[in-house]
Every structure is written in structure tokens, then in C-alpha cells.
Amino acid sequence: MAGFVVGLTGGIGSGKTTVSNLFARLGIEIADADVVARTIVEPGKSAHEAIRERFGESILLHDGSLNRAKLREIVFSNNSDRKWLENLTHGPIVQQLREIIASATSPYSVLVLSAGSGRSPMINKMLVIDVPEALQISRVTERDNNSIEQIKAIIKTQPSRQERLGWADDIITNDGSLENLRPEVEHLNHKYLILAADHG
Ligand code: ADP
């Protein structure tokens, strides 16, 4: 089953995790690129070893796991390091996402794409979450321990709102309350169930 795949994207703090949790509550399989990206750099994985070789022992925490905050700081201030890391992790991430989708038992799957990726060939429909930048910044400062400057720098590396909206088949405007999101996701779920059934 689950041949039909809905891509879900949006900038940092737009609500990708929140919305994908709502789809999961409706029984839909979620393949989340950020979640997978974390698992492929666990100690023992080849990407973990390559990162340690490039950046040295100081990139690890005391328990041997990756200091992700430090790595993020490095790659968001250095383009060539960011490209290197993307090249290293892209293949294993895609492979694992494909495996999750292939083994899904729900009528369709939601593939949560990282904020930087565009329309993937793996998806049938693209759902974009759109929020004004000011809300993005205030929600991320509340969620993470990042400064406004850090968040603005991250947003700058991501595609613009306009560019993202250009990929969209469907749009969720996440500028209201969390309670408003649920009926929107239920409505989209209904639509995707019909599309998935037609898809065969
Ligand atoms: P992303 O996964 O796109 O980075 P999240 O789903 O983590 O974004 O959302 C960012 C933060 O904003 C989280 O703390 C989340 O709980 C909060 N949030 C998301 N949507 C809303 C909303 N409609 N109202 C209030 N807070 C929200």
C-alpha cells in the first residue's frame, strides 16, 4: 500500500512537526527527513565517523554522540562545510525515507521534507505550510535556545516564502491557533484518501 505520497514542507518553525503529528494521529505513516537525518549520524553509523574525521573530537559530546548544536553552528556559518555535510547525508537519508514509505500500511504517506528541499520526485502532491516570518521567528525562539539573529540566518539559507508557495498543490496558513489546524488537516486527509484510492 501507500504508493501515494504527500510531501510536506515549510520553513523552520512553520509547523511541519505539529502538522505531521496531526496526520499521524489520523493513522497516516510519516517519513520525516529531519528525524531520519538524526538517526543516520548516530554513533556507529558511517556518517558519524566521517563527521568526526572532518571536525575532530570536539564535535562530539562526552557520551560520544554528535554535538548537533555545534555542528549546526559550523555549517550555517560555512557554505563549504554545509555542502559537504549535505553530500554526506543525502543518500542515506533518501534511502531510509524510501524504506519507511515502502513499508507503510496506511492508504498514503506523508513525507516531511526539510525546509531546504524543493519538490521531490518521491511525492505525488505537495503541501506547503506558510507563516509570516515574524511568527516563524517568535515560535522558534520560544521552542529552541536560538537567538533572533541565528534564526534569521537560518531563514536566509532556506528558500523564500514565495518560492515555496510556487511548489504547492495545497497550502496551510498556520497563523492561527493550534485548534484551528486540526480541522484543516482532517479536511486535507479526506481529500488525500480519495486521491490515494484513485491512484490505486
Ligand atoms: P517545524 O517542524 O516546521 O520547525 P514546529 O511544528 O516545531 O515547526 O512548530 C514550531 C513551534 O511553533 C513549536 O513549538 C510548535 O508547538 C509551535 N506552533 C506550531 N503551530 C502553532 C500554532 N498554530 N499556534 C501556536 N504555536 C504553534
Side-chain angles (χ1 to χ4, degrees), residues 9-21 32 34 112 129 131 135-136 138-140 142-144 173-181:
T9 198
I12 179 173
S14 60
K16 296 182 293 297
T17 308
T18 307
V19 168
S20 66
N21 285 340
D32 187 321
D34 282 345
V112 186
I129 308 177
V131 285
L135 255 186
Q136 239 181 319
S138 67
R139 284 178 184 163
V140 178
E142 228 167 88
R143 184 191 64 183
D144 304 338
T173 307
N174 187 16
D175 60 359
S177 70
L178 287 169
E179 293 73 51
N180 288 343
L181 272 180

Side-chain angles (χ1 to χ4, degrees), residues 125-155:
K125 290 285 173 197
M126 182 66 122
L127 171 58
V128 172
I129 308 177
D130 185 50
V131 285
E133 194 173 302
L135 255 186
Q136 239 181 319
I137 292 169
S138 67
R139 284 178 184 163
V140 178
T141 41
E142 228 167 88
R143 184 191 64 183
D144 304 338
N145 220 355
N146 286 338
S147 68
I148 290 176
E149 286 66 37
Q150 276 172 319
I151 297 160
K152 281 188 171 165
I154 292 171
I155 289 173

Side-chain angles (χ1 to χ4, degrees), residues 15-17 47 56-58 67 84 90-91 100 109 134 146 163 175 188:
K16 296 182 293 297
T17 308
E57 298 298 323
S58 65
N67 185 340
W84 177 86
H90 183 75
I100 294 169
S109 309
N146 286 338
E163 191 175 347
D175 60 359
L188 286 166

Side-chain angles (χ1 to χ4, degrees), residues 159-175:
S160 68
R161 271 177 90 181
Q162 271 328 104
E163 191 175 347
R164 256 195 309 268
L165 289 172
W167 308 328
D169 296 299
D170 296 296
I171 298 166
I172 290 180
T173 307
N174 187 16
D175 60 359

Side-chain angles (χ1 to χ4, degrees), residues 23-196:
F23 276 105
R25 289 235 294 264
L26 298 172
I28 303 305
E29 184 75 48
I30 309 298
D32 187 321
D34 282 345
V35 172
V36 168
R38 257 171 261 150
T39 67
I40 65 146
V41 294
E42 283 167 357
K45 305 277 173 71
S46 63
H48 183 272
E49 187 56 28
I51 291 166
R52 191 176 67 94
E53 263 174 36
R54 184 174 176 104
F55 300 109
E57 298 298 323
S58 65
I59 201 71
L60 303 183
L61 297 169
H62 287 305
D63 66 358
S65 68
L66 206 58
N67 185 340
R68 296 174 49 80
K70 184 162 183 183
L71 184 63
R72 192 164 45 224
E73 213 172 279
I74 293 172
V75 300
F76 276 114
S77 61
N78 184 313
N79 272 333
S80 65
D81 282 335
R82 189 168 76 244
K83 294 223 167 72
W84 177 86
L85 188 66
E86 280 168 4
N87 278 339
L88 175 76
T89 56
H90 183 75
I93 291 173
V94 170
Q95 191 189 335
Q96 203 161 319
L97 291 171
R98 283 189 195 285
E99 282 168 17
I100 294 169
I101 289 168
S103 63
T105 54
S106 52
Y108 69 94
S109 309
V110 169
L111 172 58
V112 186
L113 297 158
S114 62
S117 45
R119 261 196 98 101
S120 154
M122 289 166 76
I123 68 164
N124 301 97
K125 290 285 173 197
M126 182 66 122
L127 171 58
V128 172
I129 308 177
D130 185 50
V131 285
E133 194 173 302
L135 255 186
Q136 239 181 319
I137 292 169
S138 67
R139 284 178 184 163
V140 178
T141 41
E142 228 167 88
R143 184 191 64 183
D144 304 338
N145 220 355
N146 286 338
S147 68
I148 290 176
E149 286 66 37
Q150 276 172 319
I151 297 160
K152 281 188 171 165
I154 292 171
I155 289 173
K156 256 202 192 123
T157 68
Q158 298 184 342
S160 68
R161 271 177 90 181
Q162 271 328 104
E163 191 175 347
R164 256 195 309 268
L165 289 172
W167 308 328
D169 296 299
D170 296 296
I171 298 166
I172 290 180
T173 307
N174 187 16
D175 60 359
S177 70
L178 287 169
E179 293 73 51
N180 288 343
L181 272 180
R182 196 196 318 253
E184 281 203 57
V185 170
E186 281 168 2
H187 173 78
L188 286 166
N189 178 52
H190 184 71
K191 174 175 165 172
Y192 295 145
L193 286 173
I194 293 168
L195 288 173

